[in-house]
Amino acid sequence: MSVLQAQPLVSDIVLREAMRNSASGVAIVTTDGPAGRMGVTVSSFCSLSLSPPSVLVCVHEGSRALPAIIENGLFAVSLLSDDEEAVARAFAGQIPEFRDNKFAATTWQKACTGAPITENAHAGFDCRLSRQITFGTHAILIGEVLATVARPKQPLVYYNQGFHRATPLAVEGGIQ
């Protein structure tokens, strides 16, 4: 029987290269309240539990939005539609004319907590911050989902350092 040898942790460069092969939906995490209206583009978002209804999102510790999310105690997640690439880029700080006002990049609706959700998002989640866990360079935010919205749109996908559209695969016989 061979024994596995412990390997040193992979470097951030090696991990980043491998993670480029993972496709993910693109989301904007926003908050509004006494600590201000802030938002950031993320690709680390997923469901956590149906009971209680909850999601988790990962936000870099250096994000200007993180302290506002924590202080406000709430956040909304807008899963972007495939025609919202400019919104994703604006909230990632990649479009100079929106750096001072990212929210001018699109139109918004106010969720029940007061957090903004893009009017064109294919799905939105309004959340009360339930727990924050710091790990490495990121805060893992667990949100209790208070309300949702879903629209018949296609998602914006991030893969291999670029934005893409998700297209259905053709199924033999034409049945999907």
Side-chain angles (χ1 to χ4, degrees):
M1 176 190 301
S2 64
V3 176
L4 294 176
Q5 297 295 316
Q7 299 295 315
L9 295 175
V10 298
S11 73
D12 59 343
I13 295 167
V14 171
L15 179 59
R16 187 178 296 118
E17 193 66 29
M19 290 303 297
R20 288 175 56 179
N21 294 300
S22 176
S24 63
V26 181
I28 302 293
V29 177
T30 57
T31 191
D32 199 357
R37 187 179 195 203
M38 302 290 283
V40 63
T41 300
V42 301
S43 57
S44 296
F45 165 78
C46 67
S47 63
L48 178 60
S49 173
L50 292 176
S51 182
S54 53
V55 296
L56 71 78
V57 63
C58 299
V59 178
H60 192 277
E61 65 183 359
S63 170
R64 289 183 27 211
L66 183 60
I69 293 168
I70 293 168
E71 187 175 328
N72 288 337
L74 59 93
F75 63 90
V77 178
S78 296
L79 293 181
L80 299 184
S81 298
D82 64 0
D83 58 353
E84 293 185 289
E85 178 181 346
V87 178
R89 291 188 184 284
F91 277 80
Q94 297 175 351
I95 302 179
E97 57 266 29
F98 292 120
R99 285 201 180 123
D100 292 332
N101 184 8
K102 297 174 181 180
F103 288 91
T106 192
T107 54
W108 301 87
Q109 67 182 87
K110 190 177 274 196
C112 64
T113 62
I117 294 176
T118 69
E119 286 186 353
N120 199 40
H122 77 90
F125 303 83
D126 189 24
C127 303
R128 177 176 36 241
L129 181 61
S130 176
R131 187 169 301 156
Q132 171 201 347
I133 302 162
T134 301
F135 187 86
T137 59
H138 283 69
I140 302 165
L141 305 177
I142 298 173
E144 180 181 346
V145 180
L146 305 175
T148 64
V149 63
R151 299 180 180 100
K153 298 180 174 278
Q154 294 299 310
L156 181 64
V157 176
Y158 193 76
Y159 166 73
N160 200 16
Q161 296 184 308
F163 294 100
H164 301 272
R165 287 186 165 87
T167 57
L169 297 175
V171 178
E172 246 180 77
I175 300 172
Q176 290 191 16

